[in-house]
Amino acid sequence: MGRANSCCWRSWLAVVLVHWCLCVGERNKVVVEASHVVYESLQSVPASVVDSKLKTGSVLVQMLSLILSFSCRLLHDATLMGVPSNAQPCLPDPNGPMYYNGLYHLFYQYNPYGSVWGNIVWAHSVSTDLINWVALEPAIYPSKPFDIKGCWSGSATILPGNKPVILYTGLDPSERQVQNIAYPKNLSDPYLREWVKPDFNPVIAPDDGVNGSAFRDPSTAWRGPGGHWKLVVGSKWNKMGKVILYRSRDFVRWVKAKHSLHSARDTGMWECPDFYPVALKGTRGLDTSVYGHGVKYVLKVSLDITRYEYYTVGKYYHDKDKYVPDATSADDHTGLRYDYGNFYASKTFFDGKKQRRILWGWANESDTSEVDIAKGWAGIQTIPRTIWLDSSGRQLVQWPIEEIESLRGKHVVVEHKRLPSGGFFEVKGIDSSQADVEVSFDVSGLEKAEDFDPSWATDAEALCGRKTADVKGGVGPFGLLVLASANMEEKTAVFFRVFKADHKHVVLMCHDPTRSSPRAGLYKPTFAGFVDVDIAKTGKISLRSLIDNSVVESFGAKGKTCITSRVYPSLAIGEDAHLFVFNNGSTDVKVPELNAWEMKKPLMNGA
């Protein structure tokens, strides 16, 4: 990873807008086994022109726009305030989200010098409502021997006495990945702008039994029944992914447990682990240290070798410090995912203000690093989601935070529409390049559903690639065409397709961006997941899609299956973007109700 060898951070305006100055010295390059590709020749290349046509603009996906400007100029939101010509951020993993003394804090991996990964610091923004944000100066940056070659991902924990701390991975001079602690310099500062890294760091270093180049991303800590603090760090041994458990009485001296909290063969490096309790009933979130009756646990890991995540639901045995997934949770790369699309390095936190657990995720670009350099920005944080355990106890459910609805503007409603085979209609009256769309479908004629091959059960993505939106089916494909051109030569399809298997029906949810742009060289993968619904019993299924210029986030069946895609239209931009509802199945589909809202832009960085 690249790093700034000497940095001078200087703030000169308090409360809402923060200026800072970065005096850049020598940048060293380090190559170790890591979660991101380091483009050594590109990581510090400034953009000559910043192209904002496809930059996201509504809610928190535009956290990418917390642009660092040099020469002690203001931090800018490129979408809302304009971008200085030499600012071109790369924004990867969300880190250390927390709610503290009336403010939401989000830290995130950030390259202030380039739009590819490298030169990473911990950027920092605050909000009162998760919608309107103020960018502060970076909280953590390479400056001491234990992180001089990189400040990588980590988590925040609130200690007794209402004292927040950060644990993060640093790269030391030997290129070992070590775990460090940082404290707010001044707890009376409501923005927690400055953070101190004690010289007794690292607090956790890899011992002889730990791969020092695969040892990163400490989790939020929890306090067990015996009073010990506990956390996990992602790692691997050969091809076995694992989360290594550590215990501490004082949060400074940590001791490795005799065994990992959990591991799984042939899954490779486990990055960005997250471990937390969920209530068996209701949507209420739980603090990470809650335990007892009526609670299950979730372990999520990000798989370095596949670049997606999976999670399991299971039981945590506090006395043995052992986590065991339920039999209904596949414990490998075929397992449940928060999001079946472009979504990685996620992090949750407990929101004590509203008693909920909130999920953040990173969606990377799908074009080339050279294009990222040309357009001058890269990477977004997805819209934060509330997350809870489904009533079945088998999986999680997600839904965009309720605050997103405050950005809804112009509203159109479509009711009681019938979609015959091959039919479609356009949703007019809003700018659909930035929109929130909720639609429900009445499904019948299930006897015409296509047969389901059992070999498809572990690879929904491949099935979607084989049966795209343009491939006619029995029941479906039906759904939305978003970011579409007027003649639909350019479109991104979000749809369902129903199959019949032995004694049940299988519902597939897909994102198909194969016709999202005619531009050559784009990565346009189909993404898909199966939806756990009894369509024969309900005869209905719902879909919500949030559209924001170059990102589409979709929630099927009230959040049981979620998919995020990055797309780069050439024609369907701004007012030239169209929204259609379509049915390419042989049976009719009814749309009892569709609601679509044009989305307003939030207040970002005080503007």
Side-chain angles (χ1 to χ4, degrees), residues 179-209:
Q179 316 314 317
N180 303 315
I181 195 167
Y183 302 95
K185 184 176 182 179
N186 181 6
L187 282 174
S188 65
D189 174 12
Y191 295 96
L192 302 178
R193 280 170 286 204
E194 295 184 76
W195 290 75
V196 176
K197 301 179 290 185
D199 289 334
F200 59 68
N201 277 310
V203 293
I204 303 175
D207 61 20
D208 292 339

PDB file of all heavy atoms in Angstrom, residues 179-209:
ATOM      1  N   GLN A 179      -2.634  -5.005  14.960  1.00  0.00           N
ATOM      2  CA  GLN A 179      -3.877  -4.346  15.376  1.00  0.00           C
ATOM      3  C   GLN A 179      -3.543  -3.250  16.394  1.00  0.00           C
ATOM      4  O   GLN A 179      -2.871  -3.498  17.400  1.00  0.00           O
ATOM      5  CB  GLN A 179      -4.849  -5.358  15.969  1.00  0.00           C
ATOM      6  CG  GLN A 179      -4.974  -6.669  15.186  1.00  0.00           C
ATOM      7  CD  GLN A 179      -5.129  -6.486  13.683  1.00  0.00           C
ATOM      8  OE1 GLN A 179      -5.872  -5.618  13.231  1.00  0.00           O
ATOM      9  NE2 GLN A 179      -4.431  -7.299  12.898  1.00  0.00           N
ATOM     10  N   ASN A 180      -4.046  -2.056  16.104  1.00  0.00           N
ATOM     11  CA  ASN A 180      -3.734  -0.872  16.903  1.00  0.00           C
ATOM     12  C   ASN A 180      -5.000  -0.250  17.477  1.00  0.00           C
ATOM     13  O   ASN A 180      -6.098  -0.459  16.959  1.00  0.00           O
ATOM     14  CB  ASN A 180      -3.013   0.164  16.041  1.00  0.00           C
ATOM     15  CG  ASN A 180      -1.750  -0.378  15.415  1.00  0.00           C
ATOM     16  OD1 ASN A 180      -0.967  -1.040  16.079  1.00  0.00           O
ATOM     17  ND2 ASN A 180      -1.565  -0.113  14.133  1.00  0.00           N
ATOM     18  N   ILE A 181      -4.815   0.551  18.522  1.00  0.00           N
ATOM     19  CA  ILE A 181      -5.923   1.226  19.181  1.00  0.00           C
ATOM     20  C   ILE A 181      -5.738   2.735  19.066  1.00  0.00           C
ATOM     21  O   ILE A 181      -4.606   3.235  19.033  1.00  0.00           O
ATOM     22  CB  ILE A 181      -6.023   0.790  20.662  1.00  0.00           C
ATOM     23  CG1 ILE A 181      -7.380   1.186  21.258  1.00  0.00           C
ATOM     24  CG2 ILE A 181      -4.867   1.346  21.481  1.00  0.00           C
ATOM     25  CD1 ILE A 181      -7.661   0.511  22.588  1.00  0.00           C
ATOM     26  N   ALA A 182      -6.837   3.458  18.969  1.00  0.00           N
ATOM     27  CA  ALA A 182      -6.809   4.917  18.935  1.00  0.00           C
ATOM     28  C   ALA A 182      -7.956   5.452  19.786  1.00  0.00           C
ATOM     29  O   ALA A 182      -9.041   4.856  19.837  1.00  0.00           O
ATOM     30  CB  ALA A 182      -6.926   5.432  17.503  1.00  0.00           C
ATOM     31  N   TYR A 183      -7.703   6.590  20.459  1.00  0.00           N
ATOM     32  CA  TYR A 183      -8.688   7.219  21.345  1.00  0.00           C
ATOM     33  C   TYR A 183      -8.954   8.650  20.880  1.00  0.00           C
ATOM     34  O   TYR A 183      -8.070   9.307  20.331  1.00  0.00           O
ATOM     35  CB  TYR A 183      -8.157   7.283  22.782  1.00  0.00           C
ATOM     36  CG  TYR A 183      -7.794   5.966  23.405  1.00  0.00           C
ATOM     37  CD1 TYR A 183      -6.481   5.503  23.382  1.00  0.00           C
ATOM     38  CD2 TYR A 183      -8.760   5.189  24.040  1.00  0.00           C
ATOM     39  CE1 TYR A 183      -6.137   4.299  23.978  1.00  0.00           C
ATOM     40  CE2 TYR A 183      -8.420   3.983  24.639  1.00  0.00           C
ATOM     41  CZ  TYR A 183      -7.114   3.539  24.598  1.00  0.00           C
ATOM     42  OH  TYR A 183      -6.781   2.342  25.188  1.00  0.00           O
ATOM     43  N   PRO A 184     -10.155   9.170  21.140  1.00  0.00           N
ATOM     44  CA  PRO A 184     -10.391  10.587  20.866  1.00  0.00           C
ATOM     45  C   PRO A 184      -9.471  11.446  21.732  1.00  0.00           C
ATOM     46  O   PRO A 184      -9.286  11.174  22.919  1.00  0.00           O
ATOM     47  CB  PRO A 184     -11.859  10.793  21.250  1.00  0.00           C
ATOM     48  CG  PRO A 184     -12.462   9.437  21.298  1.00  0.00           C
ATOM     49  CD  PRO A 184     -11.361   8.504  21.685  1.00  0.00           C
ATOM     50  N   LYS A 185      -8.900  12.483  21.139  1.00  0.00           N
ATOM     51  CA  LYS A 185      -8.021  13.368  21.893  1.00  0.00           C
ATOM     52  C   LYS A 185      -8.798  14.190  22.901  1.00  0.00           C
ATOM     53  O   LYS A 185      -8.319  14.485  24.002  1.00  0.00           O
ATOM     54  CB  LYS A 185      -7.274  14.292  20.931  1.00  0.00           C
ATOM     55  CG  LYS A 185      -6.265  15.201  21.597  1.00  0.00           C
ATOM     56  CD  LYS A 185      -5.491  16.008  20.564  1.00  0.00           C
ATOM     57  CE  LYS A 185      -4.444  16.890  21.223  1.00  0.00           C
ATOM     58  NZ  LYS A 185      -3.679  17.663  20.199  1.00  0.00           N
ATOM     59  N   ASN A 186     -10.034  14.547  22.549  1.00  0.00           N
ATOM     60  CA  ASN A 186     -10.821  15.434  23.392  1.00  0.00           C
ATOM     61  C   ASN A 186     -12.279  14.980  23.373  1.00  0.00           C
ATOM     62  O   ASN A 186     -13.001  15.233  22.408  1.00  0.00           O
ATOM     63  CB  ASN A 186     -10.698  16.872  22.886  1.00  0.00           C
ATOM     64  CG  ASN A 186     -11.479  17.861  23.733  1.00  0.00           C
ATOM     65  OD1 ASN A 186     -12.032  17.507  24.785  1.00  0.00           O
ATOM     66  ND2 ASN A 186     -11.552  19.097  23.272  1.00  0.00           N
ATOM     67  N   LEU A 187     -12.721  14.322  24.433  1.00  0.00           N
ATOM     68  CA  LEU A 187     -14.102  13.825  24.482  1.00  0.00           C
ATOM     69  C   LEU A 187     -15.125  14.949  24.541  1.00  0.00           C
ATOM     70  O   LEU A 187     -16.310  14.719  24.283  1.00  0.00           O
ATOM     71  CB  LEU A 187     -14.282  12.895  25.684  1.00  0.00           C
ATOM     72  CG  LEU A 187     -13.741  11.469  25.531  1.00  0.00           C
ATOM     73  CD1 LEU A 187     -13.855  10.718  26.849  1.00  0.00           C
ATOM     74  CD2 LEU A 187     -14.472  10.729  24.426  1.00  0.00           C
ATOM     75  N   SER A 188     -14.701  16.151  24.892  1.00  0.00           N
ATOM     76  CA  SER A 188     -15.640  17.269  24.912  1.00  0.00           C
ATOM     77  C   SER A 188     -15.913  17.824  23.518  1.00  0.00           C
ATOM     78  O   SER A 188     -16.835  18.621  23.329  1.00  0.00           O
ATOM     79  CB  SER A 188     -15.117  18.394  25.813  1.00  0.00           C
ATOM     80  OG  SER A 188     -13.925  18.955  25.282  1.00  0.00           O
ATOM     81  N   ASP A 189     -15.115  17.410  22.538  1.00  0.00           N
ATOM     82  CA  ASP A 189     -15.369  17.800  21.152  1.00  0.00           C
ATOM     83  C   ASP A 189     -16.480  16.917  20.600  1.00  0.00           C
ATOM     84  O   ASP A 189     -16.296  15.711  20.438  1.00  0.00           O
ATOM     85  CB  ASP A 189     -14.097  17.630  20.322  1.00  0.00           C
ATOM     86  CG  ASP A 189     -14.333  17.869  18.839  1.00  0.00           C
ATOM     87  OD1 ASP A 189     -15.404  18.383  18.467  1.00  0.00           O
ATOM     88  OD2 ASP A 189     -13.437  17.527  18.040  1.00  0.00           O
ATOM     89  N   PRO A 190     -17.647  17.473  20.292  1.00  0.00           N
ATOM     90  CA  PRO A 190     -18.767  16.614  19.850  1.00  0.00           C
ATOM     91  C   PRO A 190     -18.480  15.903  18.541  1.00  0.00           C
ATOM     92  O   PRO A 190     -19.121  14.892  18.236  1.00  0.00           O
ATOM     93  CB  PRO A 190     -19.933  17.598  19.704  1.00  0.00           C
ATOM     94  CG  PRO A 190     -19.288  18.931  19.508  1.00  0.00           C
ATOM     95  CD  PRO A 190     -18.018  18.895  20.315  1.00  0.00           C
ATOM     96  N   TYR A 191     -17.528  16.415  17.761  1.00  0.00           N
ATOM     97  CA  TYR A 191     -17.232  15.818  16.462  1.00  0.00           C
ATOM     98  C   TYR A 191     -16.102  14.794  16.514  1.00  0.00           C
ATOM     99  O   TYR A 191     -15.837  14.125  15.511  1.00  0.00           O
ATOM    100  CB  TYR A 191     -16.890  16.923  15.450  1.00  0.00           C
ATOM    101  CG  TYR A 191     -18.050  17.835  15.178  1.00  0.00           C
ATOM    102  CD1 TYR A 191     -18.182  19.036  15.863  1.00  0.00           C
ATOM    103  CD2 TYR A 191     -19.038  17.504  14.258  1.00  0.00           C
ATOM    104  CE1 TYR A 191     -19.262  19.880  15.638  1.00  0.00           C
ATOM    105  CE2 TYR A 191     -20.119  18.325  14.024  1.00  0.00           C
ATOM    106  CZ  TYR A 191     -20.225  19.519  14.719  1.00  0.00           C
ATOM    107  OH  TYR A 191     -21.292  20.340  14.495  1.00  0.00           O
ATOM    108  N   LEU A 192     -15.436  14.673  17.650  1.00  0.00           N
ATOM    109  CA  LEU A 192     -14.327  13.712  17.797  1.00  0.00           C
ATOM    110  C   LEU A 192     -13.356  13.832  16.631  1.00  0.00           C
ATOM    111  O   LEU A 192     -12.999  12.859  15.965  1.00  0.00           O
ATOM    112  CB  LEU A 192     -14.872  12.283  17.898  1.00  0.00           C
ATOM    113  CG  LEU A 192     -15.859  12.003  19.037  1.00  0.00           C
ATOM    114  CD1 LEU A 192     -16.336  10.558  18.964  1.00  0.00           C
ATOM    115  CD2 LEU A 192     -15.251  12.294  20.398  1.00  0.00           C
ATOM    116  N   ARG A 193     -12.906  15.053  16.385  1.00  0.00           N
ATOM    117  CA  ARG A 193     -12.109  15.307  15.185  1.00  0.00           C
ATOM    118  C   ARG A 193     -10.692  14.761  15.258  1.00  0.00           C
ATOM    119  O   ARG A 193     -10.127  14.384  14.233  1.00  0.00           O
ATOM    120  CB  ARG A 193     -12.080  16.810  14.903  1.00  0.00           C
ATOM    121  CG  ARG A 193     -13.342  17.294  14.207  1.00  0.00           C
ATOM    122  CD  ARG A 193     -13.399  18.794  14.155  1.00  0.00           C
ATOM    123  NE  ARG A 193     -13.710  19.347  15.475  1.00  0.00           N
ATOM    124  CZ  ARG A 193     -14.257  20.533  15.658  1.00  0.00           C
ATOM    125  NH1 ARG A 193     -14.540  21.287  14.613  1.00  0.00           N
ATOM    126  NH2 ARG A 193     -14.527  20.976  16.861  1.00  0.00           N
ATOM    127  N   GLU A 194     -10.103  14.752  16.431  1.00  0.00           N
ATOM    128  CA  GLU A 194      -8.713  14.304  16.535  1.00  0.00           C
ATOM    129  C   GLU A 194      -8.634  13.002  17.314  1.00  0.00           C
ATOM    130  O   GLU A 194      -9.283  12.846  18.344  1.00  0.00           O
ATOM    131  CB  GLU A 194      -7.864  15.380  17.216  1.00  0.00           C
ATOM    132  CG  GLU A 194      -7.749  16.670  16.433  1.00  0.00           C
ATOM    133  CD  GLU A 194      -6.824  17.645  17.136  1.00  0.00           C
ATOM    134  OE1 GLU A 194      -5.590  17.444  17.065  1.00  0.00           O
ATOM    135  OE2 GLU A 194      -7.321  18.606  17.751  1.00  0.00           O
ATOM    136  N   TRP A 195      -7.779  12.104  16.840  1.00  0.00           N
ATOM    137  CA  TRP A 195      -7.606  10.806  17.466  1.00  0.00           C
ATOM    138  C   TRP A 195      -6.130  10.578  17.778  1.00  0.00           C
ATOM    139  O   TRP A 195      -5.253  10.961  16.989  1.00  0.00           O
ATOM    140  CB  TRP A 195      -8.145   9.692  16.561  1.00  0.00           C
ATOM    141  CG  TRP A 195      -9.645   9.742  16.470  1.00  0.00           C
ATOM    142  CD1 TRP A 195     -10.393  10.645  15.754  1.00  0.00           C
ATOM    143  CD2 TRP A 195     -10.574   8.895  17.142  1.00  0.00           C
ATOM    144  NE1 TRP A 195     -11.740  10.402  15.939  1.00  0.00           N
ATOM    145  CE2 TRP A 195     -11.877   9.333  16.784  1.00  0.00           C
ATOM    146  CE3 TRP A 195     -10.446   7.814  18.002  1.00  0.00           C
ATOM    147  CZ2 TRP A 195     -13.031   8.722  17.264  1.00  0.00           C
ATOM    148  CZ3 TRP A 195     -11.597   7.197  18.470  1.00  0.00           C
ATOM    149  CH2 TRP A 195     -12.876   7.648  18.107  1.00  0.00           C
ATOM    150  N   VAL A 196      -5.874   9.967  18.930  1.00  0.00           N
ATOM    151  CA  VAL A 196      -4.528   9.748  19.420  1.00  0.00           C
ATOM    152  C   VAL A 196      -4.204   8.260  19.360  1.00  0.00           C
ATOM    153  O   VAL A 196      -5.003   7.416  19.789  1.00  0.00           O
ATOM    154  CB  VAL A 196      -4.375  10.260  20.869  1.00  0.00           C
ATOM    155  CG1 VAL A 196      -2.991   9.933  21.412  1.00  0.00           C
ATOM    156  CG2 VAL A 196      -4.646  11.760  20.933  1.00  0.00           C
ATOM    157  N   LYS A 197      -3.021   7.943  18.846  1.00  0.00           N
ATOM    158  CA  LYS A 197      -2.554   6.562  18.759  1.00  0.00           C
ATOM    159  C   LYS A 197      -1.431   6.375  19.780  1.00  0.00           C
ATOM    160  O   LYS A 197      -0.310   6.857  19.562  1.00  0.00           O
ATOM    161  CB  LYS A 197      -2.066   6.264  17.342  1.00  0.00           C
ATOM    162  CG  LYS A 197      -3.121   6.458  16.276  1.00  0.00           C
ATOM    163  CD  LYS A 197      -2.605   6.193  14.877  1.00  0.00           C
ATOM    164  CE  LYS A 197      -1.636   7.257  14.417  1.00  0.00           C
ATOM    165  NZ  LYS A 197      -1.224   7.052  13.000  1.00  0.00           N
ATOM    166  N   PRO A 198      -1.694   5.700  20.904  1.00  0.00           N
ATOM    167  CA  PRO A 198      -0.666   5.557  21.945  1.00  0.00           C
ATOM    168  C   PRO A 198       0.573   4.814  21.443  1.00  0.00           C
ATOM    169  O   PRO A 198       0.493   3.957  20.555  1.00  0.00           O
ATOM    170  CB  PRO A 198      -1.369   4.757  23.043  1.00  0.00           C
ATOM    171  CG  PRO A 198      -2.827   4.931  22.775  1.00  0.00           C
ATOM    172  CD  PRO A 198      -2.969   5.074  21.299  1.00  0.00           C
ATOM    173  N   ASP A 199       1.700   5.135  22.041  1.00  0.00           N
ATOM    174  CA  ASP A 199       2.951   4.500  21.641  1.00  0.00           C
ATOM    175  C   ASP A 199       3.041   3.044  22.069  1.00  0.00           C
ATOM    176  O   ASP A 199       3.958   2.339  21.628  1.00  0.00           O
ATOM    177  CB  ASP A 199       4.138   5.283  22.212  1.00  0.00           C
ATOM    178  CG  ASP A 199       4.329   6.626  21.520  1.00  0.00           C
ATOM    179  OD1 ASP A 199       3.921   6.741  20.341  1.00  0.00           O
ATOM    180  OD2 ASP A 199       4.859   7.560  22.154  1.00  0.00           O
ATOM    181  N   PHE A 200       2.116   2.586  22.955  1.00  0.00           N
ATOM    182  CA  PHE A 200       2.174   1.166  23.333  1.00  0.00           C
ATOM    183  C   PHE A 200       1.590   0.253  22.258  1.00  0.00           C
ATOM    184  O   PHE A 200       1.598  -0.962  22.406  1.00  0.00           O
ATOM    185  CB  PHE A 200       1.505   0.919  24.687  1.00  0.00           C
ATOM    186  CG  PHE A 200       0.056   1.311  24.784  1.00  0.00           C
ATOM    187  CD1 PHE A 200      -0.934   0.634  24.080  1.00  0.00           C
ATOM    188  CD2 PHE A 200      -0.339   2.363  25.611  1.00  0.00           C
ATOM    189  CE1 PHE A 200      -2.275   0.975  24.190  1.00  0.00           C
ATOM    190  CE2 PHE A 200      -1.679   2.712  25.734  1.00  0.00           C
ATOM    191  CZ  PHE A 200      -2.646   2.015  25.018  1.00  0.00           C
ATOM    192  N   ASN A 201       1.069   0.825  21.176  1.00  0.00           N
ATOM    193  CA  ASN A 201       0.639   0.003  20.043  1.00  0.00           C
ATOM    194  C   ASN A 201       1.835  -0.748  19.449  1.00  0.00           C
ATOM    195  O   ASN A 201       2.972  -0.303  19.563  1.00  0.00           O
ATOM    196  CB  ASN A 201       0.009   0.901  18.969  1.00  0.00           C
ATOM    197  CG  ASN A 201      -1.445   1.224  19.255  1.00  0.00           C
ATOM    198  OD1 ASN A 201      -2.241   0.350  19.523  1.00  0.00           O
ATOM    199  ND2 ASN A 201      -1.787   2.510  19.195  1.00  0.00           N
ATOM    200  N   PRO A 202       1.600  -1.888  18.786  1.00  0.00           N
ATOM    201  CA  PRO A 202       0.303  -2.524  18.570  1.00  0.00           C
ATOM    202  C   PRO A 202      -0.192  -3.261  19.814  1.00  0.00           C
ATOM    203  O   PRO A 202       0.622  -3.746  20.608  1.00  0.00           O
ATOM    204  CB  PRO A 202       0.581  -3.519  17.445  1.00  0.00           C
ATOM    205  CG  PRO A 202       2.025  -3.883  17.617  1.00  0.00           C
ATOM    206  CD  PRO A 202       2.695  -2.625  18.111  1.00  0.00           C
ATOM    207  N   VAL A 203      -1.517  -3.338  19.945  1.00  0.00           N
ATOM    208  CA  VAL A 203      -2.072  -4.069  21.076  1.00  0.00           C
ATOM    209  C   VAL A 203      -2.239  -5.556  20.747  1.00  0.00           C
ATOM    210  O   VAL A 203      -2.363  -6.373  21.654  1.00  0.00           O
ATOM    211  CB  VAL A 203      -3.416  -3.460  21.522  1.00  0.00           C
ATOM    212  CG1 VAL A 203      -3.206  -2.068  22.094  1.00  0.00           C
ATOM    213  CG2 VAL A 203      -4.428  -3.420  20.385  1.00  0.00           C
ATOM    214  N   ILE A 204      -2.268  -5.892  19.456  1.00  0.00           N
ATOM    215  CA  ILE A 204      -2.313  -7.295  19.035  1.00  0.00           C
ATOM    216  C   ILE A 204      -1.355  -7.453  17.855  1.00  0.00           C
ATOM    217  O   ILE A 204      -1.498  -6.766  16.841  1.00  0.00           O
ATOM    218  CB  ILE A 204      -3.724  -7.742  18.614  1.00  0.00           C
ATOM    219  CG1 ILE A 204      -4.743  -7.526  19.745  1.00  0.00           C
ATOM    220  CG2 ILE A 204      -3.715  -9.202  18.188  1.00  0.00           C
ATOM    221  CD1 ILE A 204      -6.183  -7.836  19.350  1.00  0.00           C
ATOM    222  N   ALA A 205      -0.397  -8.342  18.001  1.00  0.00           N
ATOM    223  CA  ALA A 205       0.549  -8.629  16.923  1.00  0.00           C
ATOM    224  C   ALA A 205       0.470 -10.108  16.572  1.00  0.00           C
ATOM    225  O   ALA A 205       0.127 -10.941  17.423  1.00  0.00           O
ATOM    226  CB  ALA A 205       1.967  -8.251  17.348  1.00  0.00           C
ATOM    227  N   PRO A 206       0.766 -10.471  15.332  1.00  0.00           N
ATOM    228  CA  PRO A 206       0.704 -11.891  14.957  1.00  0.00           C
ATOM    229  C   PRO A 206       1.804 -12.692  15.634  1.00  0.00           C
ATOM    230  O   PRO A 206       2.973 -12.297  15.606  1.00  0.00           O
ATOM    231  CB  PRO A 206       0.894 -11.851  13.437  1.00  0.00           C
ATOM    232  CG  PRO A 206       1.629 -10.573  13.179  1.00  0.00           C
ATOM    233  CD  PRO A 206       1.155  -9.606  14.213  1.00  0.00           C
ATOM    234  N   ASP A 207       1.429 -13.798  16.267  1.00  0.00           N
ATOM    235  CA  ASP A 207       2.430 -14.669  16.883  1.00  0.00           C
ATOM    236  C   ASP A 207       2.833 -15.753  15.888  1.00  0.00           C
ATOM    237  O   ASP A 207       2.478 -15.708  14.706  1.00  0.00           O
ATOM    238  CB  ASP A 207       1.918 -15.249  18.191  1.00  0.00           C
ATOM    239  CG  ASP A 207       0.658 -16.097  18.015  1.00  0.00           C
ATOM    240  OD1 ASP A 207       0.386 -16.552  16.880  1.00  0.00           O
ATOM    241  OD2 ASP A 207      -0.067 -16.304  19.017  1.00  0.00           O
ATOM    242  N   ASP A 208       3.556 -16.753  16.377  1.00  0.00           N
ATOM    243  CA  ASP A 208       4.097 -17.771  15.484  1.00  0.00           C
ATOM    244  C   ASP A 208       3.014 -18.581  14.780  1.00  0.00           C
ATOM    245  O   ASP A 208       3.270 -19.165  13.735  1.00  0.00           O
ATOM    246  CB  ASP A 208       5.010 -18.721  16.264  1.00  0.00           C
ATOM    247  CG  ASP A 208       6.286 -18.035  16.740  1.00  0.00           C
ATOM    248  OD1 ASP A 208       6.638 -16.993  16.145  1.00  0.00           O
ATOM    249  OD2 ASP A 208       6.914 -18.533  17.693  1.00  0.00           O
ATOM    250  N   GLY A 209       1.827 -18.618  15.354  1.00  0.00           N
ATOM    251  CA  GLY A 209       0.761 -19.408  14.735  1.00  0.00           C
ATOM    252  C   GLY A 209      -0.149 -18.617  13.827  1.00  0.00           C
ATOM    253  O   GLY A 209      -1.184 -19.124  13.388  1.00  0.00           O
TER     254      GLY A 209
END
